[in-house]
Amino acid sequence: MTENTQQPKNSVPELPTQYTPADVEGPLYERWVERGYFEADEKSEKPPYTVVIPPPNVTGSLHLGHAFEHTLIDALTRRKRMQGFETLWQPGMDHAGIATQNVVERELAKEGVSRHDLGREAFVERVWQWKGESGGQISGQMRRLGDGVAWSRERFTMDEGLSKAVQTIFKRLYDDELIYRAERIINWCPRCLTAISDIEVEYQDDDGELVSIRYGEGDSSIVVATTRAETMLGDTAVAVHPEDERYAHLVGTEIELPLTGRRIPVVADEHVDPEFGTGAVKVTPAHDPNDFEIGRRHGLANLAVLDERGVITAHGPFQGLDRFEARSAIVGALRAEGRIVAEKRPYTHSVGHCSRCKTTIEPRLSMQWWVKVGPLAKAAGDAVRDGKVAIHPKEMESRYFGWVDNLHDWCISRQLWWGHRIPVWYGPNGEVVCVGPDDEAPTGEGWHQDTDVLDTWFSSGLWPFSTLGWPEQTPSVEKFYPNSVLVTGYDILFFWVARMMMFGLYAMDGTPPFHTIALHGMVRDQFGKKMSKSFGNAVNPLDWMDTYGSDAVRFTLARGANPGVDVPIGEDWVQGSRNFANKIWNATRFALMNGATVEGELPPAEELSATDRWILSRLNSVVAEVDAYYDDYQFAKLSDTLFHFAWDEVFDWYVELSKTTFMAGGPAADASRRVLGEVLDVTLRLLHPVVPFVTETLWTTLTGGESVVIAEWPADSGFRDAAAERKIETVQQIVTEVRRFRSDQGLQPGQKVPAQLDLTGTALAPHESAMRSLLRLQPAGEDFTATASLPVAGATVALDLSGAIDVEAERKRLTKDLSAAEKELAQTTAKLGNEAFLAKAPEQVKEKIRTRKAAAEADIERITAQLAALPTA
């Protein structure tokens, strides 16, 4: 152990009798920010440690998923800061194109105005106004949680610097022919009136209908099944498998498309599954991505029959009908013609919905801007394969490769007004000019800019370097790129992470944006169910913070964080974490009142008691364990290790074993007070990254130091004392067994009984006084008569229980319990011996009976032993 260099204190520090988080957390956080503890200096010679915050939406508020992720990142960065790294946790927010535009449009609707009434320029000004007045409330909530971010560096994906980065990389990709414009099938929201990305589509099981329709007549007819009858108006073929003999005679011929009078070809395509349905599928290239590819292979026409709002545009009786109205009308018309072969209703199937407005998504053929991802995705895959980037946990690599190795070109244009406008101008004679940030846009009659904006993921894909000032080669870029680690959910591995990898490798000369991708799971309720307002199980973490304190919420989340695994959480677990914070507070308060100190050097090991050597040995082991868990992103294990060490070993054992030493006074007490101060100092520093507020208050009070935020991270001194650990483990075993016996005999925890302790041969004599205190054992008087004797771990504890319990009443109670246990055993044994029951009962029922039988057998053994141990008359 190293000498503590804090200044001596002239008096015993005092702490309030109770810890009240609401009185502590806010002022503490503002003090940290004012003192600049979380800021990062690119001129520092310290090694860098950089993490970017996954930028929350400007429209968002702190939910449990944010709180979970932020807790993990904050723990990592606080530890690294204490370890002497120049630590940058980069904050910022995403402009969230669709979400933000929807929010402002709803505000306008209350005023009876639409964005079209304002015009594009005025509408965008209105969004900026909203952002300044109402956006970004999550920043204040992050402060509540204790996020140690560099607030002076806060960025926004639409600010001037990041906009320059977006325009720069668009221009480079365009010039390298990696961005192009083409007509393809995209996800279209008829409510938001824009293309949306895959991640903005939520799939759910909806009740629809599956109708089988006969196309053609007689031997030339084919039956196809569909859940979207309205799109048949846009069919341009029927497809069958090339090897399906049932339809071989029809391939290359034409059949009539019902209701339209058009004739369409029958084509052979290997995409068709001959085992599914009738083995024939309708082909609507303008309204289905798979059909679009079939159409490309066979040169089919793309016939769009739905407009941007999902209204039928095809000529005829259905023109002007909404898509769902048209579905019913078309099925009715087909039924009237006798072309409905079968109907299944309801037919439950997976349907995509817009994540913003919940409208059913419409696959739609549309002219859009695309990124050619082939070479970019290959680089992103190779970076992991070559070891430049590690994915943690490693088993998630296969999911990553499964995605990046099969990426389709990325649709990056959105039909919105809020966002980075595509930097392409069109001229009066068909000219197309892409403009970089330092270029002059074309002017003159007939020139106009593309009206679309870029997908939000385009700008957030630049986040690890655009936030540092790229495309300029700033000192921050040189110091803090690449990031050390990306902490994010596995659910956006394919979207945000893949895009950052592609853009980082492309823009930064092959240097990946981070060394490690540490993936975590999703927060779920205590039953493992996804949290959702519709399920009624969503939790506002701010409510829990108000009730239990931020440390309690943080510790609960960290204690459930196993890499890549979902995290169940319930309020009772937060209560338990609040109790832990109170335990830390009360134990430290007790220690201070009893003279725990960090002043001066630790006494040499040979001058310390076995109890002191034991706790110091355990302390160093815990330091090593916690470091190893941090380096492996095992937040649950490090939190659990600290919980049990602090609560069980320090507070419940070391403090209790030391009480008699403190009471006796003298050099031994002084040594133990110094050891207790050392243990608390190190334990509070180890706990700080996860529970920053309570540890800051306690550590500064204990040590007189400026702040634990900038304190040195504990190091394993290498001190171990296996003999002392074995000795105290023996003491613990004896105390635990005697406590269990006392409980079994019905003694109250504080009830004192006479006892003799025979510790001959155990070398535990120095601990007899502490053991008696812990076990509430009085010295044996001259008239002592042992009524029970317990041999434990080489020692013998003899007790006189004659005056402590009502033996007859206890015997009656135990006899009654034994009878109930024997009855339970008989019933469960009979059931498990019944062949008819075993043949019919579900496995879980049989397992439950087996568990009950085993419990009954254990109860009988326990109660029989208790009866035998009762004093005799």
Side-chain angles (χ1 to χ4, degrees), residues 46-60:
K46 297 177 182 178
Y49 186 81
T50 316
V51 185
V52 294
I53 190 173
N57 288 352
V58 67
T59 60

Side-chain angles (χ1 to χ4, degrees), residues 88-329:
L88 169 61
W89 183 10
Q90 174 68 54
M93 287 184 292
D94 192 285
H95 65 278
I98 295 178
T100 306
Q101 180 157 318
N102 282 347
V103 166
V104 177
E105 285 198 79
R106 284 196 295 269
E107 292 295 316
L108 290 174
K110 295 176 184 177
E111 304 169 15
V113 178
S114 74
R115 64 182 167 112
H116 299 286
D117 295 327
L118 293 181
R120 182 167 194 147
E121 186 175 337
F123 175 77
V124 170
E125 288 180 4
R126 181 66 178 262
V127 180
W128 278 108
Q129 179 185 338
W130 175 88
K131 191 255 181 188
E133 295 174 354
S134 305
Q137 63 173 316
I138 197 170
S139 296
Q141 296 164 347
M142 287 164 57
R143 294 170 181 264
R144 284 285 313 277
L145 188 65
D147 284 6
V149 299
W151 286 113
S152 69
R153 293 173 174 262
E154 186 175 10
R155 303 303 297 270
F156 180 54
T157 51
M158 286 283 286
D159 68 28
E160 183 178 353
L162 270 66
S163 295
K164 182 177 182 180
V166 168
Q167 197 171 352
T168 297
I169 201 161
F170 187 101
K171 170 69 170 172
R172 291 187 186 179
L173 290 164
Y174 181 87
D175 289 345
D176 288 343
E177 298 183 349
L178 292 172
I179 280 183
Y180 63 94
R181 193 169 184 242
E183 194 174 41
R184 299 278 180 83
I185 292 285
I186 44 85
N187 300 310
W188 181 265
C189 176
R191 158 61 181 81
C192 297
L193 298 180
T194 181
I196 64 174
S197 65
D198 292 338
I199 198 172
E200 292 163 324
V201 179
E202 293 179 349
Y203 287 90
Q204 66 184 47
D205 288 339
D206 286 358
D207 285 340
E209 59 182 355
L210 181 68
V211 294
S212 298
I213 309 168
R214 179 172 52 83
Y215 287 14
E217 303 292 343
D219 293 340
S220 298
S221 66
I222 296 182
V223 175
V224 298
T226 181
T227 58
R228 304 174 67 224
E230 69 279 8
T231 64
M232 68 158 291
L233 300 177
D235 287 358
T236 55
V238 171
V240 297
H241 193 274
E243 298 177 4
D244 194 335
E245 295 181 357
R246 293 172 296 175
Y247 304 115
H249 66 291
L250 293 176
V251 174
T253 67
E254 291 185 343
I255 58 175
E256 184 173 326
L257 179 65
L259 305 181
T260 67
R262 285 191 293 112
R263 296 188 66 80
I264 58 176
V266 178
V267 299
D269 195 279
E270 291 188 352
H271 170 76
V272 180
D273 181 1
E275 303 298 323
F276 182 77
T278 64
V281 297
K282 60 192 288 296
V283 182
T284 320
H287 295 284
D288 183 275
N290 294 320
D291 292 3
F292 179 76
E293 295 302 325
I294 294 175
R296 291 178 66 181
R297 288 193 288 271
H298 296 277
L300 301 176
N302 299 318
L303 182 57
V305 295
L306 290 166
D307 70 8
E308 62 183 8
R309 298 184 183 274
V311 174
I312 297 291
T313 59
H315 292 296
F318 312 108
Q319 186 175 9
L321 293 179
D322 171 80
R323 52 184 169 158
F324 300 117
E325 296 173 336
R327 182 176 301 172
S328 298

Side-chain angles (χ1 to χ4, degrees), residues 383-635:
V384 175
R385 289 188 174 93
D386 297 345
K388 290 182 180 178
V389 178
I391 293 180
H392 188 86
K394 190 173 178 61
E395 54 265 27
M396 286 286 182
E397 280 187 2
S398 60
R399 297 181 66 175
Y400 176 78
F401 293 137
W403 180 257
V404 298
D405 293 347
N406 298 283
L407 271 178
H408 299 295
D409 285 0
W410 170 22
C411 176
I412 55 173
S413 46
R414 298 291 180 266
Q415 290 64 55
L416 304 171
W417 287 357
W418 173 244
H420 296 102
R421 195 164 174 182
I422 288 177
V424 172
W425 269 254
Y426 305 105
N429 298 312
E431 302 96 333
V432 178
V433 177
C434 182
V435 177
D438 299 322
D439 300 333
E440 290 290 333
T443 58
E445 186 176 352
W447 283 92
H448 64 280
Q449 186 177 359
D450 195 299
T451 56
D452 288 353
V453 300
L454 288 164
D455 178 11
T456 296
W457 295 103
F458 192 93
S459 52
S460 59
L462 312 179
W463 193 247
F465 50 93
S466 64
T467 51
L468 299 174
W470 186 91
E472 307 302 327
Q473 190 60 23
T474 64
S476 288
V477 171
E478 293 179 4
K479 178 72 174 180
F480 296 113
Y481 187 90
N483 286 197
S484 305
V485 62
L486 173 74
V487 180
T488 192
Y490 65 73
D491 54 319
I492 58 173
L493 171 64
F494 315 132
F495 304 104
W496 187 45
V497 179
R499 283 151 174 70
M500 284 191 290
M501 286 285 282
M502 291 191 295
F503 281 169
L505 290 160
Y506 173 79
M508 305 302 283
D509 299 321
T511 302
F514 19 73
H515 298 301
T516 301
I517 302 169
L519 298 171
H520 59 72
M522 299 170 63
V523 179
R524 298 182 178 272
D525 71 12
Q526 58 189 331
F527 305 108
K529 190 175 182 180
K530 180 180 178 180
M531 286 192 174
S532 167
K533 290 180 180 178
S534 60
F535 294 156
N537 63 349
V539 173
N540 183 346
L542 297 171
D543 293 339
W544 280 353
M545 289 184 213
D546 289 341
T547 305
Y548 306 109
S550 297
D551 283 335
V553 175
R554 290 171 61 113
F555 192 73
T556 304
L557 291 165
R559 204 173 176 193
N562 290 296
V565 179
D566 288 346
V567 182
I569 184 172
E571 187 168 3
D572 54 338
W573 303 340
V574 185
Q575 292 175 358
S577 296
R578 186 269 314 273
N579 295 343
F580 179 52
N582 288 341
K583 182 78 171 182
I584 300 170
W585 183 273
N586 293 333
T588 304
R589 185 170 178 271
F590 168 84
L592 290 170
M593 291 172 61
N594 283 273
T597 181
V598 296
E599 295 177 15
E601 294 187 20
L602 279 170
E606 58 271 17
E607 296 180 13
L608 296 175
S609 68
T611 304
D612 291 336
R613 296 196 305 276
W614 159 71
I615 197 63
L616 290 174
S617 180
R618 286 294 302 129
L619 178 67
N620 277 285
S621 294
V622 167
V623 169
E625 288 174 31
V626 169
D627 275 334
Y629 286 141
Y630 262 116
D631 292 341
D632 199 33
Y633 304 100
Q634 297 278 0
F635 296 98

Side-chain angles (χ1 to χ4, degrees), residues 613-614 617 719-729:
R613 296 196 305 276
W614 159 71
S617 180
F719 175 77
R720 300 290 191 277
D721 193 325
E725 289 194 37
R726 287 194 297 272
K727 183 174 290 188
I728 300 305
E729 285 170 5

